[in-house]
C-alpha cells in the first residue's frame, strides 16, 4: 500500500477513529471542520485502505497509517 501525506484533518479523523466508529458529521462537529471536508478526507482514507465504510455515514479504522512511523 502506498503511503499518503496526512494533513491535520486526516490526523484528527484517525485520532477519533482510534477510539471507535464515527460518522463524518460527528467528526466535523467535534473537530470544528466542515462535514464536506471530513467526508472528502474519509473517502481518501477509504481508497487507501486505512478506513472502512461500514454503512452510509459510519466509518471505522482498519489500519492506522501512522503506526510504524518514527512515533514508536
Amino acid at each position: 500500500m502506498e503511503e499518503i501525506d496526512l494533513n491535520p484533518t486526516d490526523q484528527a479523523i484517525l485520532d477519533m477513529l482510534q477510539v471507535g466508529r464515527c460518522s463524518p458529521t460527528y467528526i466535523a462537529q467535534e473537530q470544528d471542520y466542515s462535514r464536506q471536508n471530513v467526508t472528502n478526507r474519509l473517502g481518501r482514507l477509504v481508497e487507501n485502505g486505512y478506513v472502512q465504510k461500514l454503512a452510509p455515514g459510519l466509518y471505522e479504522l482498519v489500519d492506522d497509517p501512522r503506526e510504524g512511523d518514527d512515533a514508536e
Side-chain angles (χ1 to χ4, degrees):
M1 206 175 317
E2 142 186 351
E3 281 193 38
I4 63 171
D5 291 326
L6 301 174
N7 70 20
T9 306
D10 298 327
Q11 297 283 351
I13 290 168
L14 293 169
D15 287 344
M16 291 196 69
L17 290 175
Q18 277 187 324
V19 177
R21 297 171 176 169
C22 294
S23 71
T25 301
Y26 179 70
I27 294 169
Q29 289 172 347
E30 291 294 307
Q31 298 296 322
D32 200 28
Y33 289 115
S34 73
R35 187 195 50 76
Q36 187 59 52
N37 182 28
V38 171
T39 299
N40 290 342
R41 301 312 294 182
L42 276 166
R44 188 165 175 259
L45 292 168
V46 168
E47 286 175 9
N48 283 280
Y50 301 124
V51 172
Q52 180 179 9
K53 184 175 185 177
L54 300 173
L58 185 62
Y59 295 82
E60 77 176 354
L61 185 63
V62 174
D63 182 27
D64 194 331
R66 303 173 296 181
E67 290 180 3
D69 286 352
D70 296 329
E72 291 186 69

